Amino acid sequence: MSSPTSIHQSPRHQQPPTRSWASTSVSDFQAVLKSSKRVLALCGAGLSASSGLETFRGAGGMWRDYEASALATPEAFEKDPGLVWLFYAYRRHKALNAKPNMGHYALAELARAKGEEGFMCLSQNIDGLSQRANHPPAQLKLLHSSLFDIKCFSCPYIEKDNFSDPVHPSLLIDEASITARLSAASTPISLSSASASKPPTIPLDELPHCPACKTGLLRPGVVWFGESLPKQTLAEVNQWIGRGLIDLCLMIGTTAQVYPAAGYVQVARMEGARIAVVNMDSRELGAAGGLRSVDFLFEGDAARVLPDILGGVVGELEGFVGEVAMVNGARTGEGEGVEEEEEMDEVQKYFAASP
Ligand code: APR
């Protein structure tokens, strides 16, 4: 039985392309951002799209190819833990090889500029890219936890920040065949027949087991559909929200269809906050509903739009983003393999040093 704090998806809200009353003026937005004392952001998969990570819904979204209920629920794990592990091992592999983009860096700078009381970022993303962009940890709440947490399916054991790739020898990712394999194995038809006739994708004794209780299977530590958001995270978010009215709510790269996360946009709006949507697709307004003339809509890639709209407010962003662009530019050409290895070392070091 799901509780109000457990993840669930609302019916689809995609709106037909109608005239939007929202402003698209960057200078008006910057004036509002400057004068806003408390800003809340809700981020989703679109923030990491230009880092090369797939979104869930919309064009190219992975839930178009895979069946969510076959991969992101405790029931799916019970039926075929090997299949679910392959899906998450694949996403770990992709996330570890991706780099934060300028959208992540811009938000991290905004957090520093506004301070802890002035800005809070709620992320539905589990990819670790905001952390790697040095987003201040106290101003980043991971509503759906992290791809890099691993816990026991049977006992309270949890390991944080496990960045091994592969996470276990049985979960070595062969990128060429993994997507076809997941897609074939996770259709609703094969799910319903999985337990009855199909052999498990990977034999149980080959999957990672809990080092504490020795008998339970380890599972990805992310929050699945039907599961509750982390209690401590919810408490911290609610404390921040309870400390004062929210002036502005940024909704970045999310369809805002998955609750409870999307509910925070509605809370902010009921408190009188203006809404600013950053999305590739202006129909994807989810919980923001119809935008009003006091709201903002910036259609485009979050990695490009965020530095643009936050740049005038966040003091050193332009110079900082320039540096990031140079680092990205320097990746091409000879010696790329060596640089990528060095970058992976940096990823490991970053996470090893993080609390
Ligand atoms: N820049 C900005 N927005 C983008 C970009 C981009 N480069 N690319 C795609 N988008 C937008 C899409 O138009 C879509 O509205 O990002 C949004 C991604 O939405 P979803 O795929 O639904 O992702 P999200 O809202 O994060 O999903 C919420 O659902 O499956 C669960 O737990 C999972 O955390 C996830 C939750």
Side-chain angles (χ1 to χ4, degrees), residues 302-314:
R304 187 186 55 75
V305 171
L306 286 172
D308 274 1
I309 63 172
L310 305 181
V313 177
V314 175

Side-chain angles (χ1 to χ4, degrees), residues 189-249:
I189 295 160
S190 64
L191 175 71
S192 58
S193 58
S195 54
S197 55
K198 285 184 73 182
T201 301
I202 299 173
L204 286 191
D205 58 356
E206 288 178 21
L207 286 171
H209 280 73
C210 176
C213 70
K214 313 282 186 207
T215 52
L217 277 179
L218 290 177
R219 56 158 277 186
V222 298
V223 185
W224 281 329
F225 286 104
E227 293 187 321
S228 288
L229 267 50
K231 275 204 185 82
Q232 180 64 24
T233 307
L234 277 178
E236 289 165 4
V237 171
N238 291 336
Q239 273 163 19
W240 188 89
I241 288 177
R243 283 203 289 273
L245 292 180
I246 297 164
D247 303 301
L248 177 64
C249 177

Side-chain angles (χ1 to χ4, degrees), residues 7 43-46 49-50 55-57 63 124-125 144 225 253-256 258 278-281 284 300-302:
I7 300 200
C43 300
S50 71
T55 60
F56 298 95
R57 302 167 190 85
W63 289 158
Q124 300 166 89
N125 297 347
H144 298 168
F225 286 104
T254 177
T255 43
V258 171
V278 176
N279 200 303
M280 284 294 266
D281 184 343
E284 298 281 5
D301 176 11

